[in-house]
Amino acid sequence: MRITRPRSVPDLDPAAVDLADPQLYATGDPHAVWLALRERNPVWRQTLPDGRSFWSVTRYHDVNDVLRDHTRFTSERGTLLSTLAVDDPAGGKMMAASDPPTHTAMREPLSKALSARSLRRWEPRIRRMVHRLIAPLADGVAWDIAEASAAFPMAFTGTLMGLPERDWPRLTQLTTMAIAPDDAEFSEGRGTLVAAHHELFEYFADHLHTTRDSADDSLVGFLRGMTVGERRLRQDEIVYNCYSLLLGANVTTPHAVAGTVLAFVEEPAQYARLTLDPGVVARAVEEGLRWSSPANHFMRYTKRETELSGVRLGAGEAVVAWLGSANRDRRVFADPFTFDVARSPNRHVAFGFGPHYCVGAPLARIALRILFEEVVRHVAEFEQAGPVEHLASNFVAGIKHLPVTARLRPGAAERLDAARAAEPRREVVP
Ligand code: HEM
């Protein structure tokens, strides 16, 4: 998605804007549209040409209300605009598409398995993977950091889930097809979304079958042994949750990397601050998350008639909470269109809010922190080396291509070459 810095509230007619159109996010200016909505129509109803309609909320506090209050806003009918008005078959089976108490029963054990404490032992492996990822910077030629980052999440989530490395490229491709079926670079025709879902579900069903008798202490094995109340998860529930974990990681993390590096390219002084004080990396990661807001929106349906910022919503209506907009709300963030690596406080909602707050947030934070620690250790300065291309998706604020060159720090090229030359270890689950 194009990340712009509108200087004033644009004078635009919201009725002329289609917030569901994936192309708006590839070539349009969603930040300008959201700004206009936040200031003039914070709770806005759009009707699509086929008659389906949805509410959009763009202010931080409304977004939080929608995501927090499952008694008024349910996740069980679907949480993405791409499934508007079609009840989600995963409702009540997949954690992300469940309400408490089912949601809580699934979430509690999984969030322990994915806590920062449980993940600590993975940090050295993630650092090795990061070295391999950024090694091409040593070549001194243009390197597409957006394309390279697309493979990054599989390196840690694929490892954690115990998925064979030979499958990672196809899984990366399938998860992108599932969130950007209209992007020409990833589309495989009209049925792209359905085909990607089908292949992913089949993949996990097969994986469960082939690993059924093996001792498996991966995340998939964890799901297999997990109990919800008195019972084990059923096969379809395990498959849906595997899908959700993979998608959650794959389609978001790369865009936090690319969005942050693009901000560094556009504002070299901010990157220079980081190189002078690497202690700022953790805060820079948070600002990069706010700035890029890789998950654009999540959707809910009203369970009954309700009210948001003085507007009445009927029962059973779809409400889309625009996270990227909430993260630019001047009511919460000073100078919201300024990228500030040391921003504090920074209560962004890039990971959502309330009961569905991203269960992978500790993993994403660890991976991004390690990545930017290593970038700062090796790179003195970035320069853009070609045009930026943005993903056509109303769900993921994505960058497809960002060619850069880097001026390396003394000794960095040798260290990166050594990382590349090192025998790639098989990253297996311990
Ligand atoms: C920068 C990276 C990431 C971003 C921006 C992000 C964003 C989000 C957001 C906004 C939600 C809330 C959904 C809702 O309210 O309906 C969410 C939930 C979720 N995320 Fe992430 N995510 C990231 C990384 C990950 C990773 C690495 C994983 C897998 C380990 C993951 C798996 C999930 C799952 C399974 C949920 C559903 C949680 C629930 O329903 O309780 N995410 N994510």
Side-chain angles (χ1 to χ4, degrees), residues 67 75 79 94-98 103 107 110 114 153 156-157 160 219 241 244-250 252-254 256 289 293-295 297-300 323 349-353 355-361 363-365 368:
L67 297 181
S75 292
T79 61
M94 179 170 83
M95 180 174 70
S98 305
H103 172 262
R107 167 124 185 162
L110 207 51
L114 286 169
F156 52 87
T157 314
L160 244 79
L219 217 45
N241 283 297
S244 175
L245 283 165
L246 190 74
L247 193 87
N250 271 13
T252 50
T253 323
L289 284 161
S293 295
H297 80 261
F298 274 98
M299 189 175 74
R300 303 287 189 261
L323 305 173
V349 286
F351 287 123
F353 191 75
H356 291 276
Y357 182 85
C358 179
V359 76
L363 178 57
R365 283 194 162 111
L368 291 170

Side-chain angles (χ1 to χ4, degrees), residues 147 166 194 208 211 217 225 232 234 300 307 320 353 376:
E147 204 177 280
R166 64 175 179 277
V194 175
L208 283 171
T211 55
D217 61 356
R232 289 270 174 92
R234 291 188 309 268
R300 303 287 189 261
E307 192 185 303
V320 175
F353 191 75
V376 168

Side-chain angles (χ1 to χ4, degrees), residues 30-370:
H31 274 301
V33 173
W34 289 335
L35 173 59
L37 286 174
R38 276 200 305 281
E39 298 310 322
R40 301 206 188 96
N41 305 89
V43 184
W44 170 254
R45 186 181 182 149
Q46 181 185 331
T47 303
L48 295 169
D50 62 12
R52 294 176 301 159
S53 67
F54 62 94
W55 291 96
S56 278
V57 294
T58 41
R59 284 189 186 165
Y60 184 91
H61 292 296
D62 287 332
V63 163
N64 280 7
D65 276 355
V66 170
L67 297 181
R68 178 183 49 204
D69 190 352
H70 66 89
T71 64
R72 289 195 292 158
F73 304 99
T74 176
S75 292
E76 299 220 335
R77 294 182 53 197
T79 61
L80 300 181
L81 252 178
S82 57
T83 62
L84 179 65
V86 181
D87 280 352
D88 190 341
K93 298 176 184 159
M94 179 170 83
M95 180 174 70
S98 305
D99 293 333
T102 307
H103 172 262
T104 321
M106 289 188 195
R107 167 124 185 162
E108 269 177 11
L110 207 51
S111 61
K112 280 193 194 119
L114 286 169
S115 70
R117 199 193 163 109
S118 314
L119 294 169
R120 203 159 295 148
R121 67 192 171 113
W122 292 93
E123 294 200 13
R125 272 163 206 265
I126 297 177
R127 203 171 290 276
R128 282 201 299 276
M129 293 166 190
V130 164
H131 286 149
R132 273 157 62 184
L133 175 79
I134 64 171
L137 282 172
D139 298 338
V141 294
W143 179 59
D144 189 339
I145 189 164
E147 204 177 280
S149 306
F152 181 43
M154 274 316 311
F156 52 87
T157 314
T159 308
L160 244 79
M161 293 179 83
L163 307 176
E165 198 166 336
R166 64 175 179 277
D167 301 337
W168 295 358
R170 180 63 182 159
L171 292 171
T172 302
Q173 193 181 3
L174 287 170
T175 44
T176 311
M177 282 161 61
I179 55 97
D182 302 298
D183 191 300
E185 198 171 324
F186 305 105
S187 177
E188 291 188 358
R190 273 175 66 83
T192 298
L193 178 66
V194 175
H197 278 165
H198 189 77
E199 194 175 327
L200 282 165
F201 294 147
E202 210 161 80
Y203 174 84
F204 281 114
D206 281 354
H207 180 74
L208 283 171
H209 184 70
T210 49
T211 55
R212 68 192 180 286
D213 296 324
S214 40
D216 181 2
D217 61 356
S218 73
L219 217 45
V220 174
F222 183 84
L223 283 169
R224 212 201 299 266
M226 203 171 107
T227 49
V228 181
E230 301 287 286
R231 66 171 180 87
R232 289 270 174 92
L233 287 183
R234 291 188 309 268
Q235 153 112 357
D236 60 340
E237 293 169 321
I238 301 174
V239 168
Y240 277 130
N241 283 297
C242 286
Y243 161 83
S244 175
L245 283 165
L246 190 74
L247 193 87
N250 271 13
V251 303
T252 50
T253 323
H255 304 298
V257 176
T260 306
V261 171
L262 180 57
F264 290 152
V265 166
E266 290 172 344
E267 298 188 37
Q270 290 294 322
Y271 187 65
R273 268 174 91 177
L274 211 57
T275 55
L276 292 174
D277 180 7
V280 179
V281 165
R283 274 198 207 163
V285 164
E286 296 306 316
E287 180 66 342
L289 284 161
R290 182 190 79 88
W291 190 252
S292 58
S293 295
N296 252 343
H297 80 261
F298 274 98
M299 189 175 74
R300 303 287 189 261
Y301 286 87
T302 52
K303 289 175 97 166
R304 52 184 157 84
E305 205 179 292
T306 188
E307 192 185 303
L308 277 171
S309 281
V311 178
R312 300 276 333 147
L313 278 59
E317 299 201 286
V319 187
V320 175
W322 295 97
L323 305 173
S325 173
N327 280 337
R328 294 289 194 280
D329 192 338
R330 64 176 169 79
R331 293 156 194 82
V332 177
F333 301 99
D335 298 326
F337 291 103
T338 298
F339 177 77
D340 174 2
V341 286
R343 182 178 287 275
S344 177
N346 190 354
R347 290 198 301 276
H348 66 76
V349 286
F351 287 123
F353 191 75
H356 291 276
Y357 182 85
C358 179
V359 76
L363 178 57
R365 283 194 162 111
I366 289 172
L368 291 170
R369 175 183 46 79
I370 292 177

